[in-house]
Amino acid sequence: MNRLKLTLQTVALIFLFGAFSINAFAKMQVVKLVTEYHVNPIGIDVQKPRLGWQLLSDEENVMQTAYEIRVAGSITGLSKKSKQIWNSGKTESDKSVNVAYEGAAIKSMQRVYWQVRVWDNKTGKASRWSEPAFWETGILEPRLWTAEWITLPKEKVTKGSKPAQYFRKQFSTSKKIKSARLYATSLGLYFAYINGEKMSDQLFTPGWTSYNKRLQYQVYDVTSMLKKENVLGAIVGDGWYHGNIGFGGQHAYYGDKTALLMQLKIDYVDGSTETVVTDKNWKGSTGPILESDIYNGEVYDARLENEGWNKPDFNNDNWEKVKTLNHSKQLLVASMGDKVKAIEQIKPIKQITTPKGEMVFDMGQNMVGWVRVKLKGEKGDVVKIKFAEVLDREGNFYTANLRSAKATETYTFKDNKEVVFEPHFTFHGFRFVLFEGLKKAPNLDDVTGVVIHSDMKPTGTFSCSEPLINQLQHNIQWGQKGNFLDVPTDCPQRDERLGWTGDAQVFSMTAAYNFDVAAFYTKWVKDIVVDQLPNGKIPHVIPDVLNGAGGATGWADVVAIIPWSVYRVYGDKRILETSYPAITKWVGYMANRAGNDYLWTGDPHFGDWLAFASTRSDYQGATTDKDLIATAYFYYTTTLASKIAAIIGKQQDAIKYNELAKKVKDAFVDEFVTSNGRLVSNTQTAYALALAFGLLPDNLVEKAAKYFTDDVTKFKHLTTGFLGTPLLCKTLSAVGRDDLAFMLLNRKEYPSWLYPVTQGATTIWERWDGQKPDGTFQAVGMNSFNHYAYGAIGEWLYSYVAGINIDVETPGYKHILLSPHSGGGLDSVSATFKSMYGEIKSAWKIDKNGEFIYTVEVPANTTATVTLPGAYVGSLDINSEKISDGLKSKATQNDNNLTLKIGSGRYQFKYPFEVR
């Protein structure tokens, strides 16, 4: 008994001290390890990937002082010096984001594991090692691709959509498998299968790139999917490669034939390797997918199904031997963007019978994807499923704004059994779904909206005391989800859906508040760079399917603006380095077009696209001179080139571009600005550009600001288009007119951000009056109801109203600027942002006693500067206590604002406040 008692006491002590030890370490944890913005990526081709991690601590003012990274070929090897591939050693640094691997080159198709531990400013001791993470390389050398491109032998070159191709290969494995990887891509879109199971939940593979210059492949871990007898199968549809894309019925822009490339590498426990590749020994056929077009939809005839075609016991005697296709493998690159997936599902809110007798379902949300539906009919019956964003004034199904896009699924029954149908290689932008050919409407539960987009992780939330603004934020986020499908498209529904560069650049900062777009933009910027023309011109759309049309001011500047946004938000210096040659080529193009007078004049541009136009007799519309806009952007992008050059260590270039920018600025002032600060285009956009870009001399800023604010006061509404709108409220705030900025935000009549909300919008519209108050629509030629550009107001909501901002001197939110602003009748605002270091919170409210209560959270390994409006040291409480002497010493009083320097932690500031 005594021995048992002693044993129990020992166990208790071990448990106690073990718990104490764990708790001691719990004060500092290293978590959320990422490699090139991904968690445990498989199949990357970055030779020196960047690593990142976050610190978790229950203490305040925590900073990392050093780190140590170790890398090995196995988890067990991490703790053995002799097995490590690289060890950084204890490195004195507070850097925990984008830390480059500096070890020996990793071979193709190799997995390596890594861990990190850190030291902090509190204990000076090392943390526990993090949980292991890994990355795995893809096929880094083209010569290692032994697979051949395959296609069907009798495939006809057609102008329209053609049947999807089905491919299969049966093979055996006889030994115990250690690991297996499938490397796959296609000319067109593909789904891959092993033994009847879909390889992954990824959609629209291999993604959309400039296929004639960069073609992505995917890597799948299929170790657990293999058996003794196996079938590797795939379906290939038209997609962007061979389907309709661009304008004027343009088809097969990249090539006449669809094809498949697959390479399965099997590593056995005994050390041997086997490879199964696409070659002439595969079998192929067509099947039930008769047409699969992104614009027009899918035609599916279930009578042509080959049941079990992707399983081992299928008889493929009637299938043809495939033909190999001579297509380059030098263009193959690993996929590093965010995967397109089915992210969520929504149910219809009601079923409608329209005045025309149409069977329509209302999904309650303008969404992008398709519907999955239970259907029942007789053999040979045909059902059509059509998609629309809106109903017309009479309540009927409306598709005129889709232009030539059919946006229709056609399904033919093979028997009278109930089926569940969803398409394969198409997507639609819609809220309303129409069924034709059914004798009875499906139940609401039988229809499911499948929402698809790139799997960007949500990072931002914004809410306030005004429900209409909350709906606006909802619309902004849904507009982004609907249009960020591997590339940032302008719209998701009509016969366009292209990567318009102007839309993307004006929205880039709002996008980065809402979602983690680091990997998404990194992938897309690579296509901007490769699609740049030899003379420096940037195409209007990326990937370029408009045959090189480009060079438009405010659009082509995307080549500098999005890398700059990624640098600011994520501290990513490498994207500046890789984009820099293209940025300077674009600046060179603008300089050549401008000539010796430094004014870019005479070229065609889109200008301030879709700016407000009025029928009022005293106002002919807000047309801003395109030469003024072009010269303004010439200056702005040249200043970015100078800043970027300095950041990446090209000091002489920095000086050169700074001098060029000064000359452009002088020319701009001489040409477009009077001595009284009035611009030749007396529009809100002209003033917003000149003031926001810093184009005016100091002595004219105040005068120009008055012309600007007078115009807003005169019309009491915005008059801006795609280029002016993103700058409007932030520029009004910068010149001290928050009252006007909030007035514009709160306006509910056309034109305004809230007008579409009052009309029931659930996404951002392309036009300020896409739907007019009387229920009629704008011109059908250009009237998308899901077009994110005007949603760029989101940046001002996050950065100014909520007050979460970036210190560009320490990018990536390493040092955070927290500066909330009240106004517009709002009495509360709350925003969060998940930075690379952790979550930032900024929430303020004005209570019934007239006190301003501001709550902030600052993640570990960062610092912040907090600016409190209307605060004074003597009246300030922090965390329910008077301000400490330590914080007082860090406080700065500036007019009626109080500025404080703080470290990581959670703070609540409270003080009497006078509503302005």
Side-chain angles (χ1 to χ4, degrees):
M1 178 64 72
N2 288 336
R3 185 179 297 175
L4 176 60
K5 188 174 181 180
L6 179 63
T7 303
L8 290 172
Q9 287 174 340
T10 304
V11 169
L13 285 169
I14 291 171
F15 179 81
L16 176 63
F17 283 104
F20 175 80
S21 175
I22 291 169
N23 187 54
F25 277 106
K27 289 183 179 180
M28 174 58 73
Q29 297 179 61
V30 184
V31 298
K32 297 189 177 180
L33 277 62
V34 294
T35 304
E36 289 296 321
Y37 300 115
H38 293 286
V39 176
N40 298 334
I42 296 177
I44 70 173
D45 58 6
V46 180
Q47 295 285 358
K48 291 189 180 294
R50 280 92 44 87
L51 313 176
W53 56 90
Q54 290 183 13
L55 307 185
L56 282 185
S57 175
D58 54 9
E59 295 195 42
E60 293 183 350
N61 301 308
V62 173
M63 292 294 292
Q64 174 186 299
T65 58
Y67 65 81
E68 181 182 2
I69 300 170
R70 59 188 186 187
V71 180
S74 66
I75 292 179
T76 57
L78 286 169
S79 59
K80 300 174 183 177
K81 280 278 187 182
S82 62
K83 297 290 186 181
Q84 291 175 6
I85 298 170
W86 178 59
N87 190 305
S88 68
K90 183 179 179 181
T91 304
E92 304 288 340
S93 172
D94 65 356
K95 189 172 185 180
S96 58
V97 169
N98 292 320
V99 179
Y101 165 75
E102 296 292 350
I106 307 299
K107 299 176 183 178
S108 285
M109 298 174 279
Q110 180 182 357
R111 175 177 289 194
V112 296
Y113 295 84
W114 69 283
Q115 286 178 301
V116 61
R117 64 176 176 176
V118 304
W119 288 256
D120 67 79
N121 61 334
K122 292 294 184 178
T123 66
K125 296 178 181 179
S127 70
R128 286 183 181 272
W129 285 101
S130 69
E131 290 296 316
F134 66 81
W135 78 85
E136 188 174 310
T137 53
I139 298 178
L140 305 179
E141 303 143 278
R143 64 178 179 81
L144 297 178
W145 281 100
T146 57
E148 298 179 276
W149 287 100
I150 60 172
T151 188
L152 292 183
K154 298 177 182 178
E155 186 187 45
K156 296 179 181 179
V157 176
T158 60
K159 289 186 177 179
S161 183
K162 58 187 176 185
Q165 300 184 3
Y166 288 68
F167 300 99
R168 72 189 308 271
K169 170 70 175 179
Q170 191 153 346
F171 64 97
S172 303
T173 59
S174 57
K175 294 182 284 188
K176 190 173 181 181
I177 296 171
K178 178 183 177 183
S179 66
R181 300 289 184 271
L182 178 70
Y183 305 85
T185 189
S186 62
L187 305 179
L189 299 176
Y190 76 89
F191 278 122
Y193 302 84
I194 287 183
N195 300 325
E197 290 186 55
K198 193 179 289 184
M199 205 72 67
S200 79
D201 57 358
Q202 192 171 353
L203 303 170
F204 292 88
T205 50
W208 189 12
T209 55
S210 300
Y211 293 130
N212 51 357
K213 298 161 189 165
R214 286 178 5 100
L215 175 59
Q216 296 182 133
Y217 64 89
Q218 286 71 46
V219 184
Y220 306 97
D221 182 347
V222 297
T223 308
S224 63
M225 301 178 73
L226 292 177
K227 303 173 182 178
K228 287 187 177 181
E229 290 297 321
N230 303 279
V231 165
L232 184 57
I235 311 173
V236 179
D238 282 349
W240 296 285
Y241 187 89
H242 184 269
N244 284 292
I245 196 69
F247 299 118
Q250 182 172 267
H251 198 273
Y253 183 82
Y254 295 101
D256 293 329
K257 292 181 179 293
T258 53
L260 177 70
L261 185 74
M262 280 186 170
Q263 188 159 311
L264 174 63
K265 180 176 180 284
I266 307 171
D267 292 326
Y268 293 104
V269 172
D270 66 5
S272 62
T273 297
E274 183 179 0
T275 306
V276 180
V277 299
T278 47
D279 58 20
K280 63 182 179 180
N281 297 313
W282 281 52
K283 287 288 195 78
S285 181
T286 55
I289 305 175
L290 300 180
E291 296 181 16
S292 61
D293 188 81
I294 288 174
Y295 290 171
N296 294 327
E298 179 168 303
V299 177
Y300 189 97
D301 189 339
R303 296 171 299 182
L304 301 177
E305 288 177 343
N306 294 305
E307 190 171 344
W309 69 272
N310 49 14
K311 296 181 179 179
D313 55 356
F314 178 75
N315 184 341
N316 63 6
D317 290 346
N318 293 329
W319 284 38
E320 304 173 282
K321 279 196 169 184
V322 299
K323 181 177 69 174
T324 59
L325 186 69
N326 183 22
H327 190 84
S328 175
K329 288 176 271 187
Q330 299 289 326
L331 307 176
L332 297 177
V333 296
S335 297
M336 284 303 292
D338 293 309
K339 298 173 182 178
V340 177
K341 293 183 177 182
I343 304 297
E344 58 187 298
Q345 299 180 4
I346 60 177
K347 286 291 185 179
I349 58 173
K350 59 183 174 180
Q351 192 253 316
I352 302 166
T353 301
T354 70
K356 289 183 177 180
E358 302 156 318
M359 184 190 299
V360 173
F361 286 77
D362 180 359
M363 304 306 296
Q365 171 65 51
N366 197 5
M367 56 170 281
V368 173
W370 54 77
V371 292
R372 182 191 304 122
V373 59
K374 289 180 183 178
L375 296 171
K376 198 170 187 335
E378 300 295 328
K379 182 177 181 179
D381 284 355
V382 177
V383 175
K384 292 192 174 184
I385 308 170
K386 299 183 178 182
F387 302 87
E389 293 186 289
V390 292
L391 303 177
D392 67 16
R393 181 166 55 174
E394 287 73 35
N396 294 310
F397 200 69
Y398 179 83
T399 59
N401 69 318
L402 305 186
R403 301 188 306 216
S404 67
K406 295 178 183 177
T408 301
E409 255 79 89
T410 303
Y411 181 88
T412 303
F413 289 91
K414 67 177 178 181
D415 53 35
N416 63 356
K417 295 179 181 178
E418 184 179 78
V419 298
V420 177
F421 171 73
E422 60 185 320
H424 298 74
F425 302 117
T426 190
F427 65 89
H428 311 286
F430 65 98
R431 173 173 172 170
F432 298 95
V433 186
L434 180 149
F435 289 89
E436 291 179 349
L438 288 176
K439 297 179 177 66
K440 179 184 176 183
N443 297 320
L444 290 180
D445 286 343
D446 293 337
V447 180
T448 301
V450 180
V451 178
I452 68 167
H453 56 80
S454 289
D455 190 16
M456 312 163 291
K457 303 308 176 190
T459 50
T461 64
F462 177 93
S463 62
C464 67
S465 54
E466 172 50 65
L468 292 179
I469 297 175
N470 293 338
Q471 183 64 42
L472 172 65
Q473 168 67 6
H474 170 97
N475 295 1
I476 293 169
Q477 290 184 319
W478 273 86
Q480 181 173 351
K481 289 193 288 189
N483 283 290
F484 276 46
L485 198 157
D486 206 47
V487 303
T489 59
D490 60 326
C491 60
Q493 74 294 87
R494 67 189 181 210
D495 56 350
E496 192 166 354
R497 314 185 200 187
L498 304 178
W500 282 97
T501 51
D503 306 46
Q505 72 89 356
V506 299
F507 189 73
S508 61
M509 285 302 297
T510 299
Y513 274 113
N514 288 331
F515 292 90
D516 181 348
V517 290
F520 180 90
Y521 278 145
T522 298
K523 176 256 179 188
W524 191 58
V525 166
K526 290 179 180 178
D527 285 302
I528 297 174
V529 170
V530 299
D531 269 347
Q532 184 175 34
L533 277 62
N535 64 356
K537 182 188 291 186
I538 300 294
H540 298 322
V541 300
I542 300 293
D544 175 29
V545 292
L546 302 183
N547 301 297
T553 190
W555 272 250
D557 301 273
V558 70
V559 70
I561 292 171
I562 285 190
W564 183 243
S565 294
V566 172
Y567 171 73
R568 291 170 61 201
V569 177
Y570 306 105
D572 189 333
K573 186 176 172 182
R574 187 175 289 177
I575 198 170
L576 300 183
E577 294 168 338
T578 56
S579 304
Y580 183 72
I583 294 168
T584 56
K585 282 177 67 177
W586 169 241
V587 172
Y589 176 87
M590 291 189 287
N592 288 334
R593 300 306 299 165
N596 294 331
D597 62 2
Y598 302 103
L599 296 169
W600 189 4
T601 60
D603 280 355
H605 297 287
F606 296 113
D608 191 27
W609 189 248
L610 296 183
F612 171 77
S614 174
T615 57
R616 286 167 45 172
S617 60
D618 63 335
Y619 186 68
Q620 298 304 312
T623 302
T624 305
D625 184 87
K626 292 180 181 180
D627 293 346
L628 182 153
I629 296 173
T631 305
Y633 264 97
F634 178 19
Y635 169 78
Y636 177 62
T637 300
T638 304
T639 64
L640 289 185
S642 178
K643 292 175 184 177
I644 292 168
I647 290 165
I648 65 176
K650 296 182 179 292
Q651 300 304 327
Q652 289 304 117
D653 280 6
I655 294 169
K656 178 178 74 173
Y657 290 117
N658 187 51
E659 290 301 317
L660 175 59
K662 287 178 180 177
K663 293 174 181 176
V664 178
K665 178 176 180 176
D666 290 343
F668 179 92
V669 173
D670 288 345
E671 182 73 11
F672 301 114
V673 187
T674 71
S675 59
N676 288 322
R678 181 184 175 96
L679 273 66
V680 294
S681 288
N682 191 43
T683 64
Q684 293 172 19
T685 290
Y687 289 108
L689 286 168
L691 291 163
F693 288 177
L695 275 158
L696 300 171
D698 292 344
N699 67 310
L700 293 183
V701 168
E702 188 175 342
K703 294 178 180 179
K706 188 173 188 310
Y707 283 115
F708 175 41
T709 57
D710 283 351
D711 191 82
V712 176
T713 302
K714 173 183 177 182
F715 292 106
K716 295 182 174 57
H717 62 72
L718 52 77
T719 63
T720 49
F722 275 30
L723 296 183
T725 298
L727 303 174
L728 186 56
C729 284
K730 67 167 70 172
T731 309
L732 286 169
S733 292
V735 300
R737 294 302 303 270
D738 280 1
D739 59 322
L740 294 178
F742 278 105
M743 179 271 290
L744 294 178
L745 174 67
N746 279 318
R747 179 181 166 88
K748 300 174 183 64
E749 300 78 24
Y750 162 77
S752 69
W753 286 285
L754 295 186
Y755 167 72
V757 174
T758 67
Q759 297 296 300
T762 60
T763 45
I764 299 297
W765 294 353
E766 180 177 21
R767 292 177 177 269
W768 294 119
D769 60 341
Q771 178 177 299
K772 299 178 181 181
D774 64 359
T776 60
F777 299 122
Q778 257 284 1
V780 297
M782 192 164 51
N783 196 26
S784 162
F785 291 95
N786 194 349
H787 223 90
Y788 58 73
Y790 285 144
I793 184 62
E795 179 188 357
W796 182 73
L797 294 176
Y798 278 109
S799 65
Y800 194 81
V801 181
I804 300 176
N805 222 325
I806 297 167
D807 180 354
V808 74
E809 298 301 319
T810 52
Y813 295 95
K814 180 67 171 171
H815 179 68
I816 307 154
L817 303 180
L818 296 168
S819 180
H821 293 86
S822 63
L826 300 179
D827 53 39
S828 67
V829 165
S830 179
T832 62
F833 176 72
K834 293 177 181 177
S835 75
M836 298 283 283
Y837 297 94
E839 185 168 84
I840 303 163
K841 181 177 181 179
S842 176
W844 61 263
K845 65 179 180 179
I846 303 169
D847 70 11
K848 60 183 179 181
N849 297 318
E851 289 192 306
F852 193 86
I853 302 171
Y854 183 42
T855 304
V856 303
E857 290 182 18
V858 178
N861 204 30
T862 68
T863 58
T865 297
V866 180
T867 301
L868 302 171
Y872 297 90
V873 172
S875 61
L876 179 65
D877 287 349
I878 301 179
N879 297 338
S880 300
E881 297 179 0
K882 289 297 180 182
I883 184 170
S884 67
D885 291 337
L887 274 178
K888 271 186 183 179
S889 66
K890 300 176 183 178
T892 304
Q893 192 76 51
N894 181 16
D895 294 330
N896 64 340
N897 293 332
L898 183 66
T899 299
L900 297 167
K901 305 288 186 182
I902 60 173
S904 64
R906 186 179 190 275
Y907 303 83
Q908 186 179 84
F909 306 94
K910 186 175 181 180
Y911 56 93
F913 183 74
E914 182 180 343
V915 178
R916 285 173 289 174

